[in-house]
Amino acid sequence: MILNIVCLLIIILLLFRKRILGRLRGLTTQAVDANGKSVSFSSIGKYVDGLAKVKKDGKVGFINEQKKVVIPCEYDEIDEFVQGFAKVKKDGKWGFVNTDGKEIVPCQYDKVGSFDEGFAKVEKDLKDGFVNTKGEEVVTCKYDNALWFQDGFAKVEKDRKWGLINTKGEEVVPCKYDHVEWFHDGFAGVEKDGKWGVVNDKGEEVVGCEYDEVKSFHDGFAGVEKDGKWGFVNDKGEEVVGCEYDEVWDFSDGFAKVKKYGILGKINANGEEVISCKYESSVYENSVRDYFEGFALIKNNGKYGLINNNDEIILPCQYDSIGSSHDGFSKVKKGDKYGLLNNNGEFVLPCQYDSIDDFHDGLCGVKKGDKYGLLNSKGEFVLPCQYSEVRDFSDGFAKVKKGDKYGLLNSKGEFVLPCQYSEVRD
């Protein structure tokens, strides 16, 4: 009995749903064409960017939110709009329409890709070309393969060789390479017979195909590898740094890190080792990294130091840690004591303090033994390490304690209340 009732309820709900959906379709599948004539559709899709796909007599089109026909139902297939264009298929061939319903690329291609940088790849008779957003075939279908445009250039393949074309369809880099990279700062890596070189955006081979690997240009230099060793060439194709390093990094601000025998150093734009490859630590840790301006952090035998860009030692490798610069200062640790360096690599506090806090509102807390003090941004003590407690600043004031008495400091480190009170409330 209960089962019969449940089945009856399900049938009623299904009939009710069908009737409601039918009414909704009746409300949503009516539109007006360009001649003002009412048109009915067998189905309507979701609105995306103000347009919905509709179907009539097995053909598809688009209507807008005002229920006006934008693209009449005369296509076999229509993809969604991307960057203002949609792929359309008619009689087995593909083309493009825009959001105004204009067929900017006629349906004459076997395949079409999406528009990117104003161009779309098209295929006809197994050959690739490109059309622009005006519908012009700027590159005829003559390539065996073509990739997308990137920064104004596209990779193309002909007879198993690759080259690069520009937006005018001109073959800037001829199809004679086994592999080509995208342009970066006006240069692109090219491979021929297993060796790499570099061409510029005029198609000139500025670096011959004689290297095992070539990196991208940075600051006018590119890393090159030959027989497992690395060096650098400039944008004239000159090998300014011979292939003698195990590893090289990109140039930045006139310098590049290099590694030899597992040890790091740094060279300048003339190929000179401004930081020689001599600073070592354990087998697994080698460190020469950028520090604040004009200095580099070095690590040797587990200890840190500082050198300048002339390879001169500013701080010997005898510190357990040297932090990065913040607010003009860097925290240094030696043993269990801390000190403070300024941006000139000079100590403003020797390594004899138990803790040094970060700067806040131009002041930082320091601890020596069981006493606390405050340092300003000039590296000067505004409060000597004579206090048993220094609280954090709040609304420009900080509570301090000396002995068993409390006082109050302002953000300049000046006492607004001397330490003579049993309690100072916040």
Side-chain angles (χ1 to χ4, degrees):
M1 180 68 179
I2 295 175
L3 182 61
N4 291 336
I5 294 173
V6 171
C7 291
L8 181 61
L9 287 173
I10 292 173
I11 293 171
I12 292 172
L13 286 172
L14 290 173
L15 291 173
F16 182 75
R17 179 176 177 272
K18 185 175 181 181
R19 178 176 293 182
I20 293 298
L21 290 175
R23 288 180 179 178
L24 287 173
R25 285 196 188 97
L27 292 173
T28 58
T29 56
Q30 296 289 324
V32 178
D33 65 14
N35 298 318
K37 183 180 178 181
S38 179
V39 184
S40 297
F41 303 102
S42 57
S43 68
I44 180 171
K46 293 181 179 180
Y47 281 93
V48 179
D49 296 330
L51 295 173
K53 191 183 295 186
V54 290
K55 191 171 185 179
K56 180 180 175 66
D57 300 329
K59 301 293 184 179
V60 288
F62 273 98
I63 64 172
N64 61 21
E65 291 177 327
Q66 289 73 44
K67 301 297 187 293
K68 292 183 178 179
V69 175
V70 177
I71 299 172
C73 291
E74 57 184 49
Y75 296 100
D76 302 314
E77 290 183 45
I78 295 184
D79 285 358
E80 299 296 335
F81 278 90
V82 178
Q83 297 184 5
F85 302 94
K87 304 174 189 177
V88 291
K89 185 179 183 182
K90 185 190 294 184
D91 300 328
K93 298 295 182 180
W94 288 88
F96 283 96
V97 293
N98 61 18
T99 53
D100 295 326
K102 182 180 179 181
E103 191 175 282
I104 60 160
V105 176
C107 294
Q108 62 181 17
Y109 296 100
D110 301 320
K111 293 180 182 179
V112 293
S114 298
F115 275 97
D116 190 32
E117 294 193 9
F119 299 90
K121 185 173 77 169
V122 293
E123 181 186 313
K124 185 186 290 184
D125 300 328
L126 300 178
K127 297 294 183 180
D128 289 345
F130 285 93
V131 294
N132 61 19
T133 54
K134 297 178 181 178
E136 301 167 335
E137 192 175 87
V138 291
V139 180
T140 58
C141 294
K142 62 182 179 179
Y143 292 101
D144 301 321
N145 194 7
L147 303 184
W148 58 94
F149 271 89
Q150 181 173 304
D151 298 326
F153 296 91
K155 298 180 185 181
V156 290
E157 182 190 18
K158 186 190 295 181
D159 299 328
R160 296 185 178 182
K161 298 295 181 181
W162 288 86
L164 287 159
I165 60 172
N166 61 18
T167 55
K168 297 178 182 179
E170 299 168 337
E171 208 168 275
V172 177
V173 177
C175 292
K176 66 178 184 178
Y177 297 100
D178 300 318
H179 188 85
V180 294
E181 298 286 351
W182 298 106
F183 277 106
H184 179 82
D185 288 341
F187 298 93
V190 291
E191 182 193 11
K192 185 191 293 183
D193 300 327
K195 297 295 182 180
W196 286 85
V198 177
V199 295
N200 61 21
D201 53 12
K202 297 178 182 178
E204 299 167 337
E205 198 171 279
V206 293
V207 178
C209 293
E210 59 183 272
Y211 295 98
D212 300 320
E213 189 174 343
V214 174
K215 294 188 176 186
S216 297
F217 273 89
H218 291 271
D219 286 359
F221 299 92
V224 291
E225 183 193 15
K226 185 184 289 185
D227 300 327
K229 298 295 182 180
W230 286 87
F232 283 95
V233 294
N234 61 18
D235 52 14
K236 297 178 182 178
E238 301 166 335
E239 192 176 283
V240 292
V241 179
C243 294
E244 60 182 272
Y245 295 100
D246 302 323
E247 191 173 351
V248 297
W249 283 257
D250 294 331
F251 266 86
S252 177
D253 298 325
F255 298 95
K257 286 191 291 185
V258 293
K259 181 187 283 188
K260 186 187 289 185
Y261 309 123
I263 303 171
L264 293 169
K266 185 179 283 190
I267 61 173
N268 62 18
N270 296 321
E272 301 165 336
E273 281 190 6
V274 293
I275 299 176
S276 55
C277 295
K278 63 185 180 184
Y279 297 102
E280 45 183 85
S281 58
S282 70
V283 175
Y284 301 103
E285 293 179 293
N286 296 288
S287 177
V288 175
R289 66 177 175 83
D290 294 332
Y291 192 56
F292 39 69
E293 186 175 355
F295 297 97
L297 182 70
I298 56 174
K299 187 178 184 182
N300 198 16
N301 296 324
K303 300 294 183 179
Y304 292 92
L306 285 179
I307 55 176
N308 62 20
N309 283 329
N310 294 321
D311 206 13
E312 298 168 337
I313 294 177
I314 304 301
L315 283 181
C317 292
Q318 56 184 236
Y319 298 92
D320 297 300
S321 68
I322 301 177
S324 299
S325 178
H326 293 287
D327 299 304
F329 297 95
S330 176
K331 198 183 301 184
V332 182
K333 184 181 181 183
K334 188 175 184 181
D336 59 353
K337 299 296 182 181
Y338 292 89
L340 210 59
L341 288 176
N342 62 20
N343 277 355
N344 295 320
E346 302 165 337
F347 274 103
V348 294
L349 284 183
C351 291
Q352 56 184 236
Y353 295 88
D354 297 295
S355 68
I356 299 176
D357 298 332
D358 294 330
F359 275 88
H360 293 286
D361 298 322
L363 298 172
C364 83
V366 294
K367 181 185 178 185
K368 190 174 185 180
D370 60 352
K371 300 298 182 183
Y372 296 86
L374 287 174
L375 200 72
N376 65 18
S377 58
K378 297 179 181 179
E380 303 167 337
F381 272 104
V382 295
L383 193 69
C385 291
Q386 302 174 357
Y387 297 84
S388 53
E389 188 178 339
V390 178
R391 300 275 184 88
D392 292 334
F393 277 87
S394 177
D395 297 325
F397 298 95
K399 190 189 297 187
V400 296
K401 184 180 181 181
K402 189 174 185 181
D404 60 351
K405 300 297 182 181
Y406 289 91
L408 202 64
L409 284 177
N410 62 19
S411 58
K412 297 179 181 179
E414 302 167 338
F415 275 100
V416 294
L417 287 178
C419 290
Q420 60 185 35
Y421 298 94
S422 301
E423 181 60 57
V424 175
R425 295 183 178 178
D426 295 333

